[in-house]
PDB file of all heavy atoms in Angstrom:
ATOM      1  N   ARG A  56      -2.185  -0.707 -10.240  1.00  0.00           N
ATOM      2  CA  ARG A  56      -0.871  -0.170  -9.871  1.00  0.00           C
ATOM      3  C   ARG A  56       0.099  -0.387 -11.034  1.00  0.00           C
ATOM      4  O   ARG A  56       0.194  -1.477 -11.587  1.00  0.00           O
ATOM      5  CB  ARG A  56      -0.338  -0.861  -8.617  1.00  0.00           C
ATOM      6  CG  ARG A  56       0.886  -0.152  -8.075  1.00  0.00           C
ATOM      7  CD  ARG A  56       1.317  -0.672  -6.727  1.00  0.00           C
ATOM      8  NE  ARG A  56       2.310   0.230  -6.142  1.00  0.00           N
ATOM      9  CZ  ARG A  56       2.912   0.033  -4.981  1.00  0.00           C
ATOM     10  NH1 ARG A  56       2.605  -1.017  -4.258  1.00  0.00           N
ATOM     11  NH2 ARG A  56       3.801   0.893  -4.525  1.00  0.00           N
ATOM     12  N   GLU A 115       1.235   6.151  -5.469  1.00  0.00           N
ATOM     13  CA  GLU A 115       1.487   5.096  -4.492  1.00  0.00           C
ATOM     14  C   GLU A 115       2.904   4.614  -4.666  1.00  0.00           C
ATOM     15  O   GLU A 115       3.207   3.988  -5.668  1.00  0.00           O
ATOM     16  CB  GLU A 115       0.515   3.939  -4.743  1.00  0.00           C
ATOM     17  CG  GLU A 115       0.720   2.794  -3.819  1.00  0.00           C
ATOM     18  CD  GLU A 115      -0.371   1.736  -3.956  1.00  0.00           C
ATOM     19  OE1 GLU A 115      -1.335   1.946  -4.715  1.00  0.00           O
ATOM     20  OE2 GLU A 115      -0.247   0.722  -3.301  1.00  0.00           O
ATOM     21  N   HIS A 257      -1.515   3.536   4.571  1.00  0.00           N
ATOM     22  CA  HIS A 257      -1.641   2.097   4.300  1.00  0.00           C
ATOM     23  C   HIS A 257      -1.367   1.297   5.576  1.00  0.00           C
ATOM     24  O   HIS A 257      -0.429   1.599   6.295  1.00  0.00           O
ATOM     25  CB  HIS A 257      -0.646   1.695   3.197  1.00  0.00           C
ATOM     26  CG  HIS A 257      -0.856   0.317   2.661  1.00  0.00           C
ATOM     27  ND1 HIS A 257      -0.516  -0.811   3.371  1.00  0.00           N
ATOM     28  CD2 HIS A 257      -1.389  -0.116   1.494  1.00  0.00           C
ATOM     29  CE1 HIS A 257      -0.832  -1.878   2.649  1.00  0.00           C
ATOM     30  NE2 HIS A 257      -1.365  -1.495   1.507  1.00  0.00           N
ATOM     31  N   PRO A 258      -2.180   0.281   5.856  1.00  0.00           N
ATOM     32  CA  PRO A 258      -1.967  -0.522   7.069  1.00  0.00           C
ATOM     33  C   PRO A 258      -0.722  -1.419   6.988  1.00  0.00           C
ATOM     34  O   PRO A 258      -0.147  -1.608   5.929  1.00  0.00           O
ATOM     35  CB  PRO A 258      -3.240  -1.363   7.168  1.00  0.00           C
ATOM     36  CG  PRO A 258      -3.899  -1.293   5.848  1.00  0.00           C
ATOM     37  CD  PRO A 258      -3.378  -0.115   5.108  1.00  0.00           C
ATOM     38  N   ASP A 260       1.568  -4.672   6.883  1.00  0.00           N
ATOM     39  CA  ASP A 260       1.476  -5.935   6.148  1.00  0.00           C
ATOM     40  C   ASP A 260       2.714  -6.760   6.469  1.00  0.00           C
ATOM     41  O   ASP A 260       3.770  -6.473   5.935  1.00  0.00           O
ATOM     42  CB  ASP A 260       1.390  -5.643   4.647  1.00  0.00           C
ATOM     43  CG  ASP A 260       1.332  -6.907   3.808  1.00  0.00           C
ATOM     44  OD1 ASP A 260       1.137  -7.993   4.381  1.00  0.00           O
ATOM     45  OD2 ASP A 260       1.491  -6.811   2.579  1.00  0.00           O
ATOM     46  N   THR A 293      -5.958   4.093   3.410  1.00  0.00           N
ATOM     47  CA  THR A 293      -6.021   3.095   2.344  1.00  0.00           C
ATOM     48  C   THR A 293      -6.545   1.832   3.007  1.00  0.00           C
ATOM     49  O   THR A 293      -5.896   1.292   3.908  1.00  0.00           O
ATOM     50  CB  THR A 293      -4.619   2.803   1.750  1.00  0.00           C
ATOM     51  OG1 THR A 293      -4.113   3.985   1.145  1.00  0.00           O
ATOM     52  CG2 THR A 293      -4.693   1.688   0.713  1.00  0.00           C
ATOM     53  N   LEU A 294      -7.708   1.393   2.592  1.00  0.00           N
ATOM     54  CA  LEU A 294      -8.237   0.151   3.126  1.00  0.00           C
ATOM     55  C   LEU A 294      -7.635  -0.989   2.304  1.00  0.00           C
ATOM     56  O   LEU A 294      -8.063  -1.227   1.180  1.00  0.00           O
ATOM     57  CB  LEU A 294      -9.761   0.117   3.051  1.00  0.00           C
ATOM     58  CG  LEU A 294     -10.302  -1.144   3.725  1.00  0.00           C
ATOM     59  CD1 LEU A 294     -10.650  -0.862   5.180  1.00  0.00           C
ATOM     60  CD2 LEU A 294     -11.484  -1.714   2.998  1.00  0.00           C
ATOM     61  N   CYS A 295      -6.610  -1.636   2.868  1.00  0.00           N
ATOM     62  CA  CYS A 295      -5.983  -2.767   2.171  1.00  0.00           C
ATOM     63  C   CYS A 295      -6.511  -4.044   2.811  1.00  0.00           C
ATOM     64  O   CYS A 295      -6.129  -4.397   3.922  1.00  0.00           O
ATOM     65  CB  CYS A 295      -4.461  -2.679   2.280  1.00  0.00           C
ATOM     66  SG  CYS A 295      -3.640  -4.062   1.446  1.00  0.00           S
ATOM     67  N   THR A 296      -7.402  -4.700   2.089  1.00  0.00           N
ATOM     68  CA  THR A 296      -8.106  -5.843   2.693  1.00  0.00           C
ATOM     69  C   THR A 296      -7.159  -7.001   2.986  1.00  0.00           C
ATOM     70  O   THR A 296      -7.326  -7.718   3.957  1.00  0.00           O
ATOM     71  CB  THR A 296      -9.242  -6.338   1.774  1.00  0.00           C
ATOM     72  OG1 THR A 296      -8.686  -6.767   0.528  1.00  0.00           O
ATOM     73  CG2 THR A 296     -10.261  -5.248   1.521  1.00  0.00           C
ATOM     74  N   GLY A 297      -6.157  -7.160   2.135  1.00  0.00           N
ATOM     75  CA  GLY A 297      -5.220  -8.265   2.327  1.00  0.00           C
ATOM     76  C   GLY A 297      -4.222  -8.012   3.438  1.00  0.00           C
ATOM     77  O   GLY A 297      -3.673  -8.956   4.011  1.00  0.00           O
ATOM     78  N   SER A 298      -3.964  -6.734   3.747  1.00  0.00           N
ATOM     79  CA  SER A 298      -3.050  -6.431   4.855  1.00  0.00           C
ATOM     80  C   SER A 298      -3.776  -6.590   6.181  1.00  0.00           C
ATOM     81  O   SER A 298      -3.409  -7.422   7.009  1.00  0.00           O
ATOM     82  CB  SER A 298      -2.499  -5.002   4.732  1.00  0.00           C
ATOM     83  OG  SER A 298      -1.676  -4.903   3.605  1.00  0.00           O
ATOM     84  N   HIS A 322      -7.439  -1.113  -1.587  1.00  0.00           N
ATOM     85  CA  HIS A 322      -6.682  -2.230  -2.171  1.00  0.00           C
ATOM     86  C   HIS A 322      -7.521  -3.471  -1.942  1.00  0.00           C
ATOM     87  O   HIS A 322      -7.734  -3.863  -0.786  1.00  0.00           O
ATOM     88  CB  HIS A 322      -5.337  -2.407  -1.461  1.00  0.00           C
ATOM     89  CG  HIS A 322      -4.332  -1.357  -1.777  1.00  0.00           C
ATOM     90  ND1 HIS A 322      -3.090  -1.327  -1.191  1.00  0.00           N
ATOM     91  CD2 HIS A 322      -4.369  -0.327  -2.651  1.00  0.00           C
ATOM     92  CE1 HIS A 322      -2.401  -0.298  -1.684  1.00  0.00           C
ATOM     93  NE2 HIS A 322      -3.158   0.325  -2.560  1.00  0.00           N
ATOM     94  N   ARG A 324      -8.060  -7.326  -2.207  1.00  0.00           N
ATOM     95  CA  ARG A 324      -7.454  -8.643  -2.433  1.00  0.00           C
ATOM     96  C   ARG A 324      -7.787  -9.603  -1.310  1.00  0.00           C
ATOM     97  O   ARG A 324      -8.266  -9.197  -0.258  1.00  0.00           O
ATOM     98  CB  ARG A 324      -5.938  -8.547  -2.620  1.00  0.00           C
ATOM     99  CG  ARG A 324      -5.133  -8.237  -1.364  1.00  0.00           C
ATOM    100  CD  ARG A 324      -3.648  -8.334  -1.694  1.00  0.00           C
ATOM    101  NE  ARG A 324      -2.831  -7.486  -0.854  1.00  0.00           N
ATOM    102  CZ  ARG A 324      -2.162  -7.901   0.222  1.00  0.00           C
ATOM    103  NH1 ARG A 324      -2.246  -9.167   0.606  1.00  0.00           N
ATOM    104  NH2 ARG A 324      -1.420  -7.064   0.928  1.00  0.00           N
ATOM    105  N   ARG A 365      -8.397  -0.538  -6.437  1.00  0.00           N
ATOM    106  CA  ARG A 365      -7.604  -1.326  -7.385  1.00  0.00           C
ATOM    107  C   ARG A 365      -7.436  -2.740  -6.875  1.00  0.00           C
ATOM    108  O   ARG A 365      -7.476  -2.990  -5.661  1.00  0.00           O
ATOM    109  CB  ARG A 365      -6.245  -0.670  -7.629  1.00  0.00           C
ATOM    110  CG  ARG A 365      -5.279  -0.694  -6.443  1.00  0.00           C
ATOM    111  CD  ARG A 365      -3.855  -0.431  -6.957  1.00  0.00           C
ATOM    112  NE  ARG A 365      -2.845  -0.416  -5.906  1.00  0.00           N
ATOM    113  CZ  ARG A 365      -2.285  -1.497  -5.365  1.00  0.00           C
ATOM    114  NH1 ARG A 365      -2.711  -2.712  -5.706  1.00  0.00           N
ATOM    115  NH2 ARG A 365      -1.340  -1.387  -4.465  1.00  0.00           N
ATOM    116  N   ASP A 367      -5.368  -5.626  -5.637  1.00  0.00           N
ATOM    117  CA  ASP A 367      -4.038  -5.647  -5.040  1.00  0.00           C
ATOM    118  C   ASP A 367      -3.342  -6.915  -5.510  1.00  0.00           C
ATOM    119  O   ASP A 367      -3.774  -7.541  -6.466  1.00  0.00           O
ATOM    120  CB  ASP A 367      -4.176  -5.557  -3.511  1.00  0.00           C
ATOM    121  CG  ASP A 367      -2.975  -4.889  -2.865  1.00  0.00           C
ATOM    122  OD1 ASP A 367      -2.061  -4.471  -3.591  1.00  0.00           O
ATOM    123  OD2 ASP A 367      -2.953  -4.770  -1.631  1.00  0.00           O
ATOM    124  N   HIS A 368      -2.286  -7.273  -4.825  1.00  0.00           N
ATOM    125  CA  HIS A 368      -1.449  -8.407  -5.243  1.00  0.00           C
ATOM    126  C   HIS A 368      -2.288  -9.570  -5.768  1.00  0.00           C
ATOM    127  O   HIS A 368      -3.297  -9.932  -5.169  1.00  0.00           O
ATOM    128  CB  HIS A 368      -0.637  -8.967  -4.073  1.00  0.00           C
ATOM    129  CG  HIS A 368       0.090  -7.910  -3.308  1.00  0.00           C
ATOM    130  ND1 HIS A 368       0.749  -8.162  -2.154  1.00  0.00           N
ATOM    131  CD2 HIS A 368       0.252  -6.589  -3.557  1.00  0.00           C
ATOM    132  CE1 HIS A 368       1.291  -7.050  -1.703  1.00  0.00           C
ATOM    133  NE2 HIS A 368       0.994  -6.073  -2.533  1.00  0.00           N
ATOM    134  N   TYR A 381       2.602  -8.652  -8.759  1.00  0.00           N
ATOM    135  CA  TYR A 381       2.138  -7.595  -9.660  1.00  0.00           C
ATOM    136  C   TYR A 381       2.116  -8.018 -11.132  1.00  0.00           C
ATOM    137  O   TYR A 381       2.413  -7.225 -12.024  1.00  0.00           O
ATOM    138  CB  TYR A 381       2.967  -6.321  -9.460  1.00  0.00           C
ATOM    139  CG  TYR A 381       2.633  -5.646  -8.159  1.00  0.00           C
ATOM    140  CD1 TYR A 381       3.448  -5.786  -7.034  1.00  0.00           C
ATOM    141  CD2 TYR A 381       1.464  -4.906  -8.028  1.00  0.00           C
ATOM    142  CE1 TYR A 381       3.110  -5.190  -5.827  1.00  0.00           C
ATOM    143  CE2 TYR A 381       1.124  -4.312  -6.830  1.00  0.00           C
ATOM    144  CZ  TYR A 381       1.950  -4.453  -5.738  1.00  0.00           C
ATOM    145  OH  TYR A 381       1.615  -3.868  -4.540  1.00  0.00           O
TER     146      TYR A 381
HETATM  147 MN1   MN B 278      -2.047  -2.953  -0.092  1.00  0.00          MN
END
Side-chain angles (χ1 to χ4, degrees):
R56 191 171 192 182
E115 178 172 355
H257 191 286
D260 178 12
T293 297
L294 185 94
C295 180
T296 61
S298 293
H322 287 177
R324 72 174 152 99
R365 69 162 179 81
D367 209 2
H368 311 173
Y381 288 101

